[in-house]
Amino acid sequence: MSPALAQHPGKHRAALAGAALCLTLAAGPVPAAQASQAAPRAGAADASATCSLRQNQPHRDTLGNVFSLDLYCDNLISDTFGRPAFNAPVTGRLKYTPSWFVCWTEGDPAPDGNKVWYYTQGDEVVSLPGIKGWGMVPARVVETQKHPYPGLPRCPWF
């Protein structure tokens, strides 16, 4: 099992089936990242998407923030961004579904006007390896009917 899958035991099943936070980036200018084309997983359908809030799910990001509640939900493949903006550095990539999300905030609006973004850790690190793939994804990536998801806390740093 890869180290990324070992850190995300819920994603191991999906992988076998084959199916930030506002980061302080004071290290200088970083090239603008383009939003990845979100691709639905095989057999995806809005009606079949299931989400649940899970208690006692410890997550610690690389800045020392600790989260004990998460939203476990079907998702689309997506890049994770260093802040809730489409021109932010891409820190990681969600490659498997379902995934967990620990909080939400508002940021750049998506084409549909939705400004909600969710904080998670990508399955793959793309850049800024010290962040270990942590970043924000736009709401359209999280397959639920309501954004923000009821009961999921707002990210504390926004």
Side-chain angles (χ1 to χ4, degrees):
M1 180 183 318
S2 74
L5 291 177
Q7 291 178 355
H8 305 284
K11 295 181 183 185
H12 181 68
R13 177 178 52 89
L16 292 177
L21 98 109
C22 183
L23 299 171
T24 305
L25 298 173
V30 179
Q34 296 297 319
S36 69
Q37 292 292 338
R41 68 192 190 292
D46 287 344
S48 67
T50 57
C51 297
S52 62
L53 288 175
R54 304 184 306 174
Q55 299 285 338
N56 302 316
Q57 299 295 314
H59 303 285
R60 178 184 300 270
D61 69 12
T62 56
L63 299 176
N65 295 304
V66 177
F67 306 91
S68 61
L69 173 77
D70 70 18
L71 170 64
Y72 191 66
C73 201
D74 290 333
N75 58 276
L76 302 176
I77 295 168
S78 176
D79 290 338
T80 59
F81 296 87
R83 62 183 182 279
F86 292 105
N87 66 350
V90 173
T91 56
R93 186 163 293 120
L94 289 178
K95 296 172 59 175
Y96 307 108
T97 186
S99 296
W100 48 261
F101 306 88
V102 294
C103 62
W104 66 273
T105 193
E106 289 187 351
D108 281 358
D112 66 1
N114 193 331
K115 294 182 177 184
V116 173
W117 289 68
Y118 293 92
Y119 187 51
T120 190
Q121 185 176 24
D123 302 305
E124 174 182 54
V125 174
V126 172
S127 68
L128 304 169
I131 295 170
K132 297 183 180 178
W134 280 91
M136 308 295 298
V137 296
R140 67 176 171 73
V141 170
V142 182
E143 295 189 314
T144 182
Q145 298 296 317
K146 181 110 171 109
H147 298 290
Y149 192 86
L152 188 67
R154 188 169 189 143
C155 297
W157 51 87
F158 290 102

